[in-house]
């Protein structure tokens, strides 16, 4: 067989230098007239090892990690020219064990089945992996829309956008609505800090999303589809536009699709401006209609009166990408994974203080600890695992002692967090939980559309209290005030953004109340993160009088002669930490 060399060109790979590696390989191939096929793919999930280059030869497949231009030359000289595997760079192969093999254990790739394995800009490569086979099967067997809905219901698939509503039930509501026009929407407005699930799927396998939408349109009788994707995802948008044009050329979009009389369906893209609130379905529809992205009262629900007041079905990227696989393989093939109330697999974006940051797809029912330690490799620098923020700004912090919590909708909700769309931000012992709550609340406060008084002003008042606490000006009543404000915001907000905005604060108070009390009553930050609460002092028996700290102090707060013990004037010190970072004798103490 002809040797293949495949470079991962997702956003993560490009950011790490993969485009330069691809260009280098292309230049070497042309200059030396080398006989190998150079191809592109997207993210395979191993973001922490980017850039990734896969070489497929007669022996098998070898995925090389952290490849730069110099290593690319080495791969050409050794593996391509002399057929010598460069073992120290291999991160995945079926031919021998690698240090990264655990990353793939416990993963079941359904949504991510094609990501990193096909050229996302080639519809033909998608078709070679059963792409559009589910849609063709519907046409060939003349299956009814109700049959498709029943398959989705029997699979147990729940919406992967965060709410977890049964997908088949949602479809049935839209199918039962009477109207000459119905809409299908893909919610690709991914805005959670640390989340990149939707982006990776759109960049790596856009046709799976299109096929899912086409199947959904057939099931409910829709004739127009919209993909709402934020403009900050240029690569995803580029590949989506290309995929839509390819699908039209192949007859998967348009009139009388695949010979199904009267099945006319097309898809267009609406580029969003990056408002987090537009992840809420009614705000999203307002944005599509050209209005300001603000939520609307429900009922009526979108299935009755959605986009342009017509029946509308909205699902997120991951949900749509799962549909073709479920329809092609059957409901039981999907429902055999997961728990009683949460079937199938879930994609998570691992970020934060974790060794193997990237994208994973695991069966529902796996524990948080298994994701963090078995797939994620544990905490960076082998520090102590402290908590994980699950569900983004709308979610909550789950402490380490609840690490055996299984990942399903009900179990995660019971902790006070939510599954969300799949962002998982891991924190270690150096993380201040009050600061984390402040970060997420600051995000939701900025992203509030301002329609509801409780959300607009309540989040601002909560943020002011948190800022005061981290500056050392906390008051005895602050915790109770935060809890009371949180209840009022939850009760008084119209949409999910306001109703869930207090979650990070409530969960950190619930599980890390002692940290709040340390900030308020003792004016100390146990994690040594809030600089206004830190005190820098010289450890006398370690100080050599080298004067490095004194010379680097920007406010001249450090005194002492050469070879004499130095002292820090606490009235002048600004807590910048430069003395601590510059001291090579570890003679500066932080309290």
């Amino acid at each position: 067989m002809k040797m293949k060399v495949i470079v991962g060109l997702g956003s993560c790979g490009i950011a790490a230098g993969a485009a330069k590696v691809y260009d280098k390989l292309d230049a070497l191939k042309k200059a030396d007239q080398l006989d190998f096929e150079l191809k592109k793919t997207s993210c395979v999930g191993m973001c922490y090892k980017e850039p990734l280059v896969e070489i497929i030869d007669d022996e098998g497949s070898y995925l090389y990690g952290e490849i730069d231009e110099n290593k690319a030359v080495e791969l050409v000289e050794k593996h391509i020219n002399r057929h010598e595997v460069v073992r120290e760079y291999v991160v995945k192969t079926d031919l021998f064990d690698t240090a990264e093999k655990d990353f793939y254990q416990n993963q079941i790739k359904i949504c991510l089945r094609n990501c990193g394995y096909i050229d996302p800009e080639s519809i033909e490569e998608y078709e070679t992996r059963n792409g559009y086979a589910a849609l063709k099967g519907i046409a060939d067997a003349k299956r009814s829309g109700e049959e498709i809905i029943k398959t989705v219901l029997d699979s147990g698939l729940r919406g992967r956008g965060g709410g977890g509503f049964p997908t088949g039930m949602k479809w049935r509501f839209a199918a039962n609505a009477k109207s000459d026009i119905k809409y299908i929407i893909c919610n690709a407005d991914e805005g959670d800090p640390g989340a990149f699930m939707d982006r990776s799927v759109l960049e790596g396998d856009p046709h799976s999303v299109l096929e899912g939408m086409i199947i959904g349109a057939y099931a409910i009788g829709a004739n127009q589809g919209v993909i709402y994707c934020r403009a900050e995802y240029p690569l995803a948008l580029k590949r989506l536009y290309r995929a839509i044009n390819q699908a039209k050329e192949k007859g998967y979009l348009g009139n009388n699709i695949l010979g199904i009389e009267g099945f006319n369906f097309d898809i267009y893209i609406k580029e969003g401006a990056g408002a987090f609130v537009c992840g809420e379905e009614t705000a999203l529809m307002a944005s599509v209609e050209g209005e300001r992205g603000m939520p609307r009262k429900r009922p009526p629900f979108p299935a009755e009166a959605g986009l342009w007041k017509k029946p509308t079905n909205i699902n997120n990227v991951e949900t749509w990408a799962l549909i073709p696989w479920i329809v092609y393989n059957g409901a039981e093939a999907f429902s055999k994974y997961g728990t009683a109330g949460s079937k199938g697999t879930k994609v998570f974006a691992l970020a934060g203080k974790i060794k193997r940051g990237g994208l994973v797809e695991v069966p529902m029912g796996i524990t948080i600890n298994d994701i963090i330690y078995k797939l994620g490799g544990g905490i960076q620098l082998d520090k102590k695992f402290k908590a994980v923020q699950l569900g983004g700004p709308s979610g909550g912090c789950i402490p380490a002692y609840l690490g055996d919590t299984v990942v399903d909708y009900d179990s995660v909700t019971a902790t006070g967090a939510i599954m969300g769309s799949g962002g998982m931000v891991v924190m270690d012992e150096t993380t201040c939980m009050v600061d984390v709550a402040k970060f997420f609340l600051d995000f939701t406060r900025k992203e509030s559309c301002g329609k509801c008084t409780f959300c607009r002003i309540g989040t601002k008042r909560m943020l002011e209290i948190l800022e005061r606490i981290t500056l050392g000006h906390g008051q005895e009543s602050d915790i109770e005030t935060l809890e009371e404000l949180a209840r009022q915001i939850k009760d008084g907000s119209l949409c999910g953004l306001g109703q869930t905005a207090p979650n990070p604060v409530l969960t950190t108070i619930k599980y890390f109340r002692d940290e709040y009390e340390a900030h308020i009553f003792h004016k100390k930050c146990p994690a040594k993160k809030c600089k206004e609460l830190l005190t820098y002092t010289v450890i006398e028996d370690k100080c050599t009088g080298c004067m490095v700290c004194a010379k680097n102090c920007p406010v001249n707060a450090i005194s002492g002669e050469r070879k004499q013990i130095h002292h820090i004037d606490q009235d002048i010190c600004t807590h910048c930490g430069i003395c601590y970072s510059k001291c090579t004798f570890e003679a500066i103490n932080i309290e």
Side-chain angles (χ1 to χ4, degrees):
M1 63 170 284
K2 189 172 185 178
M3 187 177 290
K4 293 181 181 178
V5 180
I6 308 169
V7 182
L9 290 173
S11 289
C12 51
I14 294 171
K20 294 179 181 178
V21 171
Y22 181 90
D23 291 341
K24 187 67 173 181
L25 290 168
D26 190 39
L28 292 170
K29 180 179 185 294
K30 291 175 180 176
D32 298 334
Q33 297 183 329
L34 301 175
D35 187 26
F36 66 87
E37 187 178 0
L38 182 60
K39 298 172 65 65
K40 301 176 182 179
T41 188
S42 193
C43 176
V44 74
M46 196 179 277
C47 306
Y48 66 101
K49 282 292 182 181
E50 294 282 5
L52 293 162
V53 175
E54 183 180 13
I55 297 181
I56 304 174
D57 59 21
D58 291 330
E59 299 297 323
S61 166
Y62 306 85
L63 184 65
Y64 291 100
E66 298 180 319
I67 301 301
D68 56 22
E69 293 176 80
N70 292 330
K71 289 179 180 178
V73 173
E74 187 178 354
L75 291 182
V76 170
E77 292 175 349
K78 293 182 179 179
H79 195 147
I80 295 174
N81 291 340
R82 301 203 300 265
H83 300 280
E84 297 175 4
V85 176
V86 189
R87 283 185 170 240
E88 58 265 37
Y89 301 155
V90 177
V91 294
K92 180 179 181 290
T93 182
D94 292 331
L95 302 176
F96 53 82
D97 285 344
T98 67
E100 306 303 322
K101 66 177 182 178
D102 290 344
F103 181 77
Y104 286 93
Q105 290 184 358
N106 298 309
Q107 288 203 55
I108 305 292
K109 294 201 172 187
I110 298 178
C111 177
L112 303 179
R113 59 194 177 277
N114 296 320
C115 294
Y117 300 98
I118 64 170
D119 180 347
E121 298 184 20
S122 169
I123 191 171
E124 290 77 18
E125 290 199 21
Y126 177 69
E127 289 174 320
T128 61
R129 291 175 64 92
N130 296 321
Y132 291 107
L135 182 60
K136 291 175 182 175
I138 291 170
D140 293 344
K142 296 181 172 57
R143 297 181 67 184
S144 68
E146 179 55 33
E147 285 183 83
I148 305 304
I149 291 173
K150 187 177 186 306
T151 296
V152 176
L153 272 170
D154 291 345
S155 73
L157 174 65
R158 296 171 65 171
R160 297 304 196 242
F165 193 82
T167 303
M169 191 179 298
K170 199 173 188 180
W171 286 18
R172 182 164 284 166
F173 292 151
N176 290 339
K178 304 300 181 185
S179 178
D180 57 334
I181 297 175
K182 294 183 183 180
Y183 293 98
I184 286 281
I185 296 179
C186 173
N187 184 349
D189 188 58
E190 182 177 59
D192 296 10
F196 47 93
M197 303 78 59
D198 291 355
R199 173 179 59 75
S200 295
V201 174
L202 293 174
E203 289 180 0
D205 192 16
H207 282 286
S208 67
V209 178
L210 298 187
E211 186 179 5
M213 293 178 70
I214 297 166
I215 292 170
Y218 176 78
I220 74 168
N223 36 31
Q224 183 67 62
V226 181
I227 299 176
Y228 189 90
C229 182
R230 51 181 50 214
E232 294 142 317
Y233 282 179
L235 185 59
L237 285 165
K238 172 192 170 187
R239 291 174 178 173
L240 271 175
Y241 280 117
R242 183 178 179 87
I244 289 172
N245 290 333
Q246 291 173 339
K248 289 178 180 178
E249 291 171 2
K250 288 267 190 173
Y252 299 126
L253 288 172
N255 295 328
N256 301 317
I257 294 171
L258 296 181
I260 303 174
E261 189 67 30
F263 180 32
N264 308 322
F265 182 68
D266 204 353
I267 296 173
Y268 73 92
I269 297 171
K270 167 68 175 179
E271 296 186 28
F276 182 67
V277 72
C278 286
E280 196 277 336
E281 58 185 14
T282 62
L284 183 156
M285 289 185 292
S287 179
V288 173
E289 293 170 357
E291 302 293 330
R292 184 179 176 190
M294 301 178 80
R296 300 167 177 170
K297 289 178 67 176
R298 295 179 296 180
F301 292 95
E304 306 166 49
L307 186 62
W308 309 112
K309 295 184 170 55
K310 298 293 183 179
T312 304
N313 182 86
I314 303 179
N315 289 117
N316 85 320
V317 169
E318 185 178 347
T319 309
W320 289 122
L322 289 168
I323 293 298
W325 191 95
I326 291 171
V327 172
Y328 181 76
N329 292 281
E332 289 185 6
F334 186 77
S335 63
K336 73 179 182 180
Y337 301 110
T339 62
S342 302
K343 299 295 185 183
T345 59
K346 182 73 190 77
V347 178
F348 287 100
L350 301 182
K353 303 295 183 68
I354 194 164
K355 290 181 179 178
R356 300 189 187 121
L359 208 64
V360 299
E361 185 172 4
V362 295
M364 292 281 199
I366 191 172
T367 67
I368 292 173
N369 277 339
D370 280 348
I371 294 175
I372 291 174
Y373 288 102
K374 291 184 178 180
L375 280 77
I379 309 302
Q380 290 176 357
L381 304 176
D382 294 321
K383 290 185 179 292
K384 186 179 179 181
F385 170 40
K386 186 172 186 177
V388 60
Q389 174 78 10
L390 200 57
S394 301
C397 286
I398 302 175
Y401 70 81
L402 293 180
D404 287 329
T405 300
V406 298
V407 175
D408 66 16
Y409 288 99
D410 298 330
S411 300
V412 171
T413 301
T415 68
I418 61 172
M419 183 83 74
S421 57
M424 188 175 280
V425 181
V426 181
M427 306 167 198
D428 67 13
E429 60 195 271
T430 66
T431 305
C432 171
M433 304 313 294
V434 184
D435 187 60
V436 165
K438 183 178 73 172
F439 170 82
F440 283 110
L441 194 67
D442 181 50
F443 179 87
T444 49
R445 191 265 306 177
K446 289 175 180 174
E447 294 293 337
S448 171
C449 74
K451 185 172 187 175
C452 303
T453 304
F454 285 97
C455 180
R456 182 181 70 250
I457 299 178
T459 54
K460 181 174 176 60
R461 295 288 90 87
M462 288 184 73
L463 180 62
E464 288 170 350
I465 293 171
L466 291 172
E467 287 175 336
R468 192 174 69 239
I469 291 173
T470 56
L471 289 172
H473 305 304
Q475 299 172 8
E476 186 175 347
S477 60
D478 279 346
I479 296 177
E480 288 70 27
T481 303
L482 286 170
E483 291 174 326
E484 178 59 27
L485 282 170
R487 283 191 289 271
Q488 294 180 4
I489 294 167
K490 279 178 168 289
D491 293 340
S493 297
L494 180 62
C495 83
L497 186 151
Q499 292 164 7
T500 60
N503 283 353
V505 180
L506 289 175
T507 52
T508 50
I509 290 176
K510 178 180 180 180
Y511 298 117
F512 300 96
R513 193 183 187 96
D514 58 327
E515 286 200 32
Y516 280 84
E517 292 174 345
H519 282 71
I520 294 169
F521 299 113
H522 305 296
K523 311 303 179 187
K524 294 292 182 183
C525 176
K528 299 179 180 179
K529 176 72 175 179
C530 302
K531 75 170 192 174
E532 296 297 332
L533 302 183
L534 302 182
T535 301
Y536 292 86
T537 56
V538 175
I539 303 173
E540 295 188 0
D541 58 355
K542 288 187 177 182
C543 180
T544 63
C546 68
M547 299 194 71
V548 169
C549 60
K551 289 178 180 178
N552 284 278
C553 180
V555 292
N556 299 317
I558 303 175
S559 60
E561 300 297 326
R562 182 175 295 279
K563 295 185 179 182
Q564 293 182 1
I565 296 172
H566 289 32
H567 299 280
I568 301 175
D569 188 330
Q570 300 301 323
D571 293 330
I572 301 175
C573 178
T574 60
H575 320 281
C576 67
I578 291 177
C579 58
Y580 179 83
S581 63
K582 292 292 184 179
C583 182
T584 58
F585 297 98
E586 299 182 351
I588 303 296
N589 182 54
I590 307 177
E591 294 180 352

